[in-house]
């Protein structure tokens, strides 16, 4: 089921073309203002891990004494790329950005200036996608889950794409299943266990996440003693590209996310239990469909995109959006299967695991499971969802 969802929601060729057109339109405005400026795409569009309604992240590199946020905002309005009701300048944010909605396509765009880590992060994400083939499927489902609950925007206290990706990487790094990095790993079981970890067992008050050097958990108290940084945030995620940067510091609504993850764990765990076949809606509702939905509005939006940016002929291959090198001709990849099946394929087998609790920093290991993370012994029916 997750495989079908992934194929259905993966970027289509026409969606790639439409987004490239948006990038080109904005880049022309920027080049008119500053001919030597360098515009680069990062974030989910560059890594292929984006949903049909996801933002495009752009960064502009150039030499300015003060960031020209308002200058670009005015130019974008005058060129009719956007209008005054759908553009905002967040000049007081930790990373000042311009947020806008493209007038023609309704695609949302975030524009920052001289921020190098975004582009580096895109390369890092691509490397981890190769190491853990299940990551794209896991992350796409999680992004949809957070999106439909309005918990996906850092601007409103939710968990952004980069933080979510690092949480998923950490989960796989420290997972007790030997097949977690295998292309044939049961992503349905992994999804349930992701929800279980971050919805039930992860101690957000005292534990931080680190993915460097194979991954570890960080005791926040130890981290604070060894650095000059402010007290770590509720969701502390050490940026692998800049250890002094706490990626999750703006996710002040993380406890709401934790509650949502706990809810998803309960629902899915019940759905794969032996008694699930007796549920009234067992035949009419898929397992994955119990926690995520693709709305009619999204389906109609994708149909509209297909009509305007669709291929010239049915023989033209589509793109799946993975590892696209942007600002050049997109790669041509295998055509996606856009039919979301409602069938659940179940394979019954049992697996057990050892309990473990782990937190480590570069200099010490904390072993109290009540203070940090407690992985309970699991005996779970493997079910493809």
């Amino acid at each position: 089921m997750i495989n079908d969802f992934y194929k259905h929601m993966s970027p289509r060729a026409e969606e790639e073309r439409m987004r490239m057109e948006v990038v080109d339109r904005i880049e022309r405005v920027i080049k008119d203002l500053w001919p030597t400026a360098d515009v680069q795409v990062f974030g989910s569009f560059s890594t292929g891990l984006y949903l049909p309604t996801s933002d495009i992240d752009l960064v502009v590199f150039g030499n300015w004494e003060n960031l020209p946020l308002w200058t670009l905002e005015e130019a974008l309005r005058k060129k009719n790329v956007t209008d005054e009701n759908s553009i905002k300048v967040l000049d007081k944010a930790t990373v000042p950005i311009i947020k806008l909605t493209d007038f023609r396509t309704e695609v949302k765009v975030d524009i920052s200036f001289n921020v190098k880590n975004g582009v580096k992060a895109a390369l890092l994400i691509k490397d981890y996608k190769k190491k853990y083939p299940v990551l794209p499927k896991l992350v796409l489902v999680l992004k949809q889950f957070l999106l439909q609950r309005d918990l996906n925007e850092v601007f409103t206290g939710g968990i952004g794409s980069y933080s979510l990706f690092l949480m998923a990487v950490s989960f796989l790094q420290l997972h007790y299943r030997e097949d977690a990095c295998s292309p044939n790993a049961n992503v349905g079981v992994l999804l349930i266990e992701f929800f279980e970890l971050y919805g039930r067992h992860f101690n957000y008050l005292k534990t931080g996440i680190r993915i460097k050097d194979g991954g570890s958990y960080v005791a926040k108290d130890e981290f604070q003693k060894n650095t000059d940084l402010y007290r770590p945030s509720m969701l502390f995620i050490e940026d692998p590209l800049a250890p002094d940067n706490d990626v999750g510091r703006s996710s002040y609504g993380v406890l709401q996310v934790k509650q949502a993850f706990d809810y998803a764990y309960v629902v899915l765990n019940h759905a794969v239990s032996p008694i699930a076949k007796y549920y009234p809606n067992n035949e009419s509702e898929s397992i994955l469909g119990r926690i995520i939905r693709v709305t009619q509005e999204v389906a109609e939006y994708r149909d509209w995109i297909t009509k305007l940016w669709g291929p010239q002929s049915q023989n033209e291959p589509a793109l799946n959006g993975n590892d696209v090198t942007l600002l050049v001709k997109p790669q041509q990849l295998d055509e996606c299967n856009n039919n979301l099946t409602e069938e659940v394929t179940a394979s019954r087998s049992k697996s057990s695991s050892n309990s473990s609790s782990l937190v480590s920093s570069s200099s010490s290991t904390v072993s109290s499971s009540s203070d940090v993370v407690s992985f309970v012994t699991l005996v779970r029916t493997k079910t493809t969802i």
Side-chain angles (χ1 to χ4, degrees), residues 23-35:
V23 172
D24 184 63
R25 185 157 48 245
I26 293 174
E27 184 178 19
R28 285 199 300 269
V29 175
I30 293 171
K31 291 288 190 178
D32 285 344
L33 290 172
W34 309 289

Side-chain angles (χ1 to χ4, degrees), residues 105-161:
T105 65
E106 297 185 7
V107 171
K108 292 179 173 59
V109 183
D110 289 352
I111 306 173
S112 57
F113 290 84
N114 292 337
V115 179
K116 297 179 180 179
N117 276 1
V119 177
K120 292 180 181 178
L123 298 175
L124 179 81
I125 289 170
K126 290 179 180 180
D127 287 340
Y128 276 108
K129 281 174 58 182
K130 294 175 183 177
K131 186 172 184 179
Y132 298 104
V134 298
L135 259 177
K137 298 174 183 178
L138 186 63
V139 169
L140 212 63
V141 170
L142 292 169
K143 290 185 72 169
Q144 178 67 30
F145 177 82
L146 293 177
L147 170 67
Q148 67 187 49
R149 290 163 176 80
D150 295 324
L151 295 172
N152 64 317
E153 283 278 2
V154 176
F155 179 58
T156 54
I159 296 181
S161 296

Side-chain angles (χ1 to χ4, degrees), residues 2 77 91 113 154 164 177 206 242 267 270 306 357:
I2 290 178
R77 283 191 292 105
D91 55 349
F113 290 84
V154 176
L164 183 66
R177 292 186 186 276
K206 297 186 177 183
V267 171
H270 286 173
T306 298
S357 56

Side-chain angles (χ1 to χ4, degrees), residues 205-208 210 217-234 236 238 243-244 246 359-364 366:
L205 290 173
K206 297 186 177 183
T207 311
R210 171 182 289 159
Y217 292 119
V218 182
K220 288 185 180 179
D221 291 342
E222 288 297 321
F223 181 84
Q224 190 174 8
K225 288 177 185 178
N226 296 329
T227 66
D228 296 328
L229 293 181
Y230 54 86
R231 183 171 180 79
S233 62
M234 179 66 77
F236 174 71
E238 182 185 84
D244 290 342
D246 177 3
V359 168
S360 63
S361 63
S362 57
S363 60
S364 64
V366 181

